[in-house]
Amino acid sequence: MTMEKKRYERPVIQKLNSGLLNKFGSATEIKPLTEIDGVPVKRLVAEYGSPLFVFSERQIREKYAEVHKIFTTRYPKVKFGWSYKTNYLNAICNIFHQQGSWAEVVSGFEYEKALQNGVPGNKIIFNGPDKTAADLQKAMANNSLIHLDHMDEFYLLNELAAAGHKKPRVAIRVNMDTGVYPIWDRFGFNYENGQAWSAINKIMTSGNFTMVGLHCHIGTFMLAPSAYGIAADKLAALFVRIKNKFGHTLEYIDLGGGLPSPNNLKGAYLPGNDLVPPIEEFADTIANSLLNSDIAPNELPLLIMESGRLLIDEAGYLIGTVIANKRLSTGRRATILDFGVNSLFTSFWYNHKISPAQEVSNYKEDVELFGPLCMNIDVVRESVILPPLNTGDRVVAQNVGAYNVTQWMQFITMRPNVVLIDDQGKPHIIRRAESLDTLNQMEEMPAHLKTFKL
Amino acid sequence: MILKKSVAISETGFIFNPATGDSYTVNPIAAEILQLLKAAKSLAEIKQEILQQYDVDEKTLEEDLSDFSSHLQQLGLAEHEA
Ligand SMILES: Cc1ncc(COP(=O)(O)O)c(C=O)c1O
């Protein structure tokens, strides 16, 4: 009689009270994640390889609808501008555009991407300090919303506008003290020292611009709703001051992005889920500031939000494979994965949740997770409580939707496939894995270097 | 390698070392190995036993067993045969 053999797991022993309950070693972390939107991880890896980025279309749409509702039930006029730099894979952008998002871009190529995706020019918000004369000219011709970042840009656009006999639609980016430090005062014009008001006066009196809005982006992964309230108060005050002095009514106030996703920030002692205030609190504070401001009720501006991470982080997954297990000189366990900081760039600032992708025992151990790069900094998690993983086992890193498929590095390994699982549970490749050909395509070989003898 | 005599193993996978007061948890397969060690089986015998029961190749198991036994020694729970 042949007997079905039991699933093997490495034998492990661990001292009690040695970090089992520290940091984020919650029991939920070891629940295996065997499928994404009904598609088995095993099947995804068999078809598309490992590592593999996976996005859930259903989750993106649901999250967008949820956040959109939170804002529109509190304030009458709201638009979202999809932050291209957060994730500019065209398929992802188009999901947001189908949901009704405008585009928010910070470079000439992102601007061009938005146009090519079919976003009308007048629904593209052009942010950032680095817009070339050609970028500005194009944005002006398309009636895009140009957010001025500094005086040099003002003078350049002023000249282009005068020469082109076209009035660009502009806003200024304002930086300010919202009680959260450091202040991001590298970007835009300062509120407290009068720079912002002075720039507004120049714009309003030059005659070459149509001033349409005010913009700010007060920081990243903001945990204080009050900061958004202060920002909205200050922009509303400028709105009223412009109305009073020039009799001009702005169309919108844009409060940027920065709303947190439920990720685990490094150095924080609580997991993201316990740390991050509900989004309702942010929306409440913002809506109250605008509704209670001195802006006349019939002139309330459109509220634009440029949320990135909040809307996409949770819909992104990175599947990987255990390459090897090691014991470090200190006796600690280390596991080497086939993705590192090259693919999962955000592991520099987040402790991403990592789950095994197959059934596991209840036993758990404290391990350090490394990537495959030949460098000391290639740490995916300094400490994570996981069941013993065998070589060849799969893991799934979660909440990886924001900033990874834009900031990933082609270093030592190639950028992997990216798959989108549609509303019906059908996977589609939305970006093919890079190959040696991808790299070589970019290179040129001078004739004298073509051959050698060894 | 032999397990120190005083080391206590509970049914539920708790290990207690009265010499130091430290306690440990183990996963089921480690508990099984410890029971076999307690029953004075050699590592070679244990290897055969596990190979029969579990879906694992010999090379992987050998590596894991050697790592596990050196960890036991590091923790002061086992020692080389005299
Ligand atoms: C101007 C601007 N808007 C929006 C965003 C998106 O931010 P987040 O992903 O934190 O919402 C950023 C990101 O840095 C930004 O600089």
Side-chain angles (χ1 to χ4, degrees):
Chain A
M1 195 187 84
T2 58
M3 208 175 58
E4 179 92 17
K5 287 196 174 178
K6 293 192 253 183
R7 188 189 132 77
Y8 175 77
E9 182 177 72
R10 272 189 292 116
V12 272
I13 179 163
Q14 178 148 325
K15 196 165 156 182
L16 279 174
N17 308 323
S18 69
L20 269 184
L21 294 174
N22 73 351
K23 300 250 177 84
F24 310 117
S26 57
T28 55
E29 193 144 12
I30 60 157
K31 275 226 305 264
L33 187 78
T34 54
E35 47 180 53
I36 300 171
D37 272 9
V39 186
V41 169
K42 243 192 198 143
R43 185 186 137 200
L44 288 166
V45 173
E47 280 173 36
Y48 305 103
S50 170
L52 176 69
F53 276 100
V54 179
F55 285 89
S56 157
E57 183 174 344
R58 180 186 57 78
Q59 271 180 279
I60 297 174
R61 291 192 191 279
E62 282 176 6
K63 187 74 190 182
Y64 180 91
E66 175 198 331
V67 175
H68 187 260
K69 188 167 163 205
I70 288 172
F71 276 88
T72 50
T73 48
R74 286 168 174 78
Y75 188 78
K77 289 189 277 180
V78 184
K79 266 287 161 200
F80 284 81
W82 176 241
S83 158
Y84 265 49
K85 74 170 112 29
T86 304
N87 185 323
Y88 47 56
L89 295 182
N90 294 327
I92 301 291
C93 294
N94 279 6
I95 297 174
F96 284 103
H97 298 322
Q98 284 186 351
Q99 292 292 136
S101 279
W102 294 0
E104 185 269 326
V105 304
V106 291
S107 64
F109 98 83
E110 284 186 10
Y111 183 88
E112 198 54 50
K113 227 172 190 293
L115 276 184
Q116 287 182 17
N117 281 337
V119 182
N122 65 354
K123 295 186 170 148
I124 303 178
I125 299 161
F126 204 159
N127 278 320
D130 180 20
K131 311 177 195 83
T132 64
D135 293 338
L136 288 171
Q137 227 137 15
K138 204 186 302 174
M140 193 162 53
N142 289 322
N143 260 323
S144 299
L145 304 165
I146 301 173
H147 288 185
L148 297 175
D149 187 79
H150 45 77
M151 277 324 281
D152 292 310
E153 192 169 64
F154 165 82
Y155 289 119
L156 176 58
L157 187 59
N158 198 21
E159 260 174 49
L160 296 171
H165 312 293
K166 177 101 183 164
K167 274 194 172 189
R169 297 163 78 213
V170 299
I172 57 163
R173 173 157 176 178
V174 180
N175 68 63
M176 64 187 90
D177 184 351
T178 60
V180 172
Y181 306 98
I183 300 175
W184 283 25
D185 58 2
R186 275 204 298 134
F187 307 100
F189 303 88
N190 185 255
Y191 177 84
E192 285 81 15
N193 70 11
Q195 258 178 13
W197 181 238
S198 151
I200 289 168
N201 278 278
K202 288 205 170 69
I203 292 168
M204 293 304 298
T205 53
S206 94
N208 288 331
F209 300 90
T210 308
M211 185 153 188
V212 287
L214 292 164
H215 173 238
C216 69
H217 171 77
I218 55 177
T220 275
F221 210 91
M222 303 289 287
L223 295 169
S226 62
Y228 284 87
I230 294 169
D233 285 344
K234 291 185 174 172
L235 293 191
L238 286 176
F239 181 103
V240 171
R241 217 168 154 194
I242 292 169
K243 175 76 186 175
N244 291 344
K245 177 163 176 181
F246 301 98
H248 178 71
T249 309
L250 297 180
E251 293 171 23
Y252 65 87
I253 283 181
D254 178 343
L255 289 180
L259 297 177
S261 66
N263 239 319
N264 305 316
L265 262 193
K266 278 193 178 172
Y269 278 90
L270 288 171
N273 278 328
D274 300 335
L275 195 68
V276 172
I279 297 307
E280 284 86 344
E281 283 182 27
F282 291 91
D284 274 338
T285 317
I286 292 169
N288 286 339
S289 286
L290 294 179
L291 295 172
N292 299 337
S293 71
D294 292 333
I295 301 175
N298 60 335
E299 292 188 338
L300 279 176
L302 173 70
L303 166 64
I304 297 179
M305 296 299 299
E306 301 171 351
S307 273
R309 71 192 68 231
L310 167 68
L311 296 177
I312 189 74
D313 238 353
E314 289 159 283
Y317 302 81
L318 177 58
I319 301 174
T321 303
V322 174
I323 296 175
N325 285 298
K326 287 192 177 178
R327 193 171 293 284
L328 301 174
S329 60
T330 55
R332 271 191 80 201
R333 255 294 158 190
T335 292
I336 302 172
L337 303 171
D338 65 350
F339 64 79
V341 295
N342 55 346
S343 307
L344 193 63
F345 191 85
T346 53
S347 50
F348 280 126
W349 62 83
Y350 288 141
N351 286 316
H352 281 290
K353 179 173 170 181
I354 312 259
S355 303
Q358 52 278 309
E359 290 305 326
V360 288
S361 77
N362 284 327
Y363 188 82
K364 39 193 178 176
E365 63 178 348
D366 180 21
V367 289
E368 182 158 7
L369 297 180
F370 295 111
L373 310 182
C374 313
M375 312 170 70
N376 242 351
I377 56 154
D378 192 22
V379 180
V380 174
R381 288 288 303 264
E382 278 100 11
S383 166
V384 59
I385 309 292
L386 280 172
L389 296 168
N390 300 327
T391 301
D393 278 354
R394 313 291 179 193
V395 295
V396 186
Q398 284 146 85
N399 300 326
V400 307
Y403 299 103
N404 282 306
V405 298
T406 49
Q407 295 195 59
W408 51 1
M409 294 172 274
Q410 185 282 304
F411 178 59
I412 297 193
T413 62
M414 297 290 163
R415 297 187 179 105
N417 277 322
V418 183
V419 159
L420 176 76
I421 300 178
D422 72 17
D423 290 351
Q424 315 302 317
K426 182 172 182 300
H428 305 258
I429 283 215
I430 57 172
R431 191 179 193 278
R432 270 175 290 115
E434 291 173 3
S435 66
L436 183 54
D437 285 344
T438 321
L439 298 195
N440 281 344
Q441 220 178 337
M442 315 292 294
E443 296 195 28
E444 307 277 350
M445 184 69 76
H448 68 286
L449 298 177
K450 281 196 172 138
T451 55
F452 51 81
K453 260 203 214 109
L454 287 176
Chain B
M1 192 189 67
I2 48 174
L3 204 62
K4 288 195 178 155
K5 282 218 164 54
S6 54
V7 171
I9 307 169
S10 86
E11 294 285 305
T12 49
F14 280 99
I15 313 298
F16 181 62
N17 183 0
T20 60
D22 289 331
S23 28
Y24 304 84
T25 57
V26 290
N27 60 347
I29 190 163
E32 207 169 320
I33 294 169
L34 286 170
Q35 293 292 0
L36 292 167
L37 279 171
K38 190 109 188 155
K41 300 269 195 226
S42 73
L43 281 178
E45 288 168 315
I46 294 175
K47 193 178 89 184
Q48 285 316 316
E49 186 84 14
I50 301 290
L51 274 176
Q52 269 172 26
Q53 288 189 51
Y54 288 87
D55 183 19
V56 60
D57 62 90
E58 186 163 351
K59 198 177 122 287
T60 306
L61 179 61
E62 226 160 63
E63 257 176 52
D64 289 349
L65 267 183
S66 113
D67 178 69
F68 183 61
S69 54
S70 69
H71 199 195
L72 288 179
Q73 286 170 39
Q74 214 172 35
L75 295 173
L77 296 170
E79 54 203 357
H80 274 295
E81 269 139 302

